[in-house]
Amino acid sequence: MCMANFEIAQNIVKKIEGGYQNLKNDPGNWDSGKVGVGNLIGTKYGISAPTLKMYLGRSITPEDMKNLSYETALDIYKKYYWNPMGLDIMVNQSVANLIYQTAVHFGVRGAKKIISEVVNHPYSVDYLNRLNQEKLFNDIKTKLINIYSKNPTFAKGFINRLNNFVFSL
């Protein structure tokens, strides 16, 4: 039985999480994680300011974010998103890809909550692996569209990102 592969999932995330940006109305760009609170740092490769601050274990500057290497971003992605979600043992790559992006966007706690709501069961990869994978994928995607639709500022962009995720066996 094949298990999900981080590099495959990351190639999709890399395509949709761009370079440096520092929109003032994006909470991920602020080192506090709240718009207007703390310092406006920006994001790069989809790595938020609070995540880089946690990874480095110190206060950060916009220059720290601008100088973030892709190799360091990969380490952060694997350490803070892929591994805590347990995706190495996911049996379907498509589902793993979508769950991984959900963790990148909502954090591990947020992603586990969303997936738990979708399946009406506490988050467990073993449990998810026993479900119909195509139905699981479609249910997660529908849930994300519903969540994104409630944010008029970013809804179109977030929903467009989901178009990069297609189910396959």
Side-chain angles (χ1 to χ4, degrees):
M1 181 182 304
C2 292
M3 299 295 176
N5 179 286
F6 171 74
E7 287 76 22
I8 293 170
Q10 180 54 35
N11 282 336
I12 298 169
V13 168
K14 179 181 182 181
K15 189 165 70 170
I16 63 178
E17 297 289 353
Y20 179 78
Q21 62 91 359
N22 68 345
L23 298 172
K24 291 180 181 175
N25 60 345
D26 184 340
N29 291 335
W30 296 84
D31 61 1
S32 68
K34 295 185 171 90
V35 171
V37 178
N39 299 303
L40 181 62
I41 303 297
T43 62
K44 187 174 179 184
Y45 306 123
I47 302 297
S48 69
T51 300
L52 183 60
K53 181 179 174 181
M54 180 174 56
Y55 180 80
L56 294 177
R58 62 172 172 79
S59 295
I60 58 172
T61 66
E63 289 70 34
D64 290 321
M65 186 61 77
K66 289 175 188 173
N67 293 328
L68 175 66
S69 71
Y70 187 68
E71 292 71 28
T72 299
L74 284 175
D75 188 47
I76 292 169
Y77 276 132
K78 185 96 168 158
K79 181 178 181 180
Y80 290 136
Y81 302 103
W82 182 265
N83 290 343
M85 296 302 292
L87 297 172
D88 278 335
I89 62 167
M90 193 82 222
V91 295
N92 181 275
Q93 184 69 50
S94 302
V95 173
N97 297 344
L98 190 56
I99 291 174
Y100 175 54
Q101 172 60 28
T102 304
V104 168
H105 192 208
F106 292 96
V108 168
R109 187 179 312 140
K112 286 182 177 182
K113 180 178 184 280
I114 289 167
I115 305 307
S116 295
E117 289 172 0
V118 167
V119 298
N120 197 28
H121 187 276
Y123 184 85
S124 159
V125 175
D126 289 332
Y127 178 78
L128 297 176
N129 281 340
R130 293 192 301 266
L131 301 176
N132 175 300
Q133 296 298 291
E134 186 170 12
K135 180 179 183 328
L136 175 60
F137 178 89
N138 290 329
D139 289 350
I140 294 169
K141 201 167 180 182
T142 297
K143 175 78 170 179
L144 292 172
I145 290 168
N146 289 337
I147 292 169
Y148 291 150
S149 295
K150 294 175 184 171
N151 183 336
T153 304
F154 296 111
K156 185 178 179 188
F158 290 155
I159 292 169
N160 282 342
R161 288 179 182 185
L162 288 177
N163 293 331
N164 290 281
F165 296 90
V166 178
F167 182 80
S168 65
L169 290 175

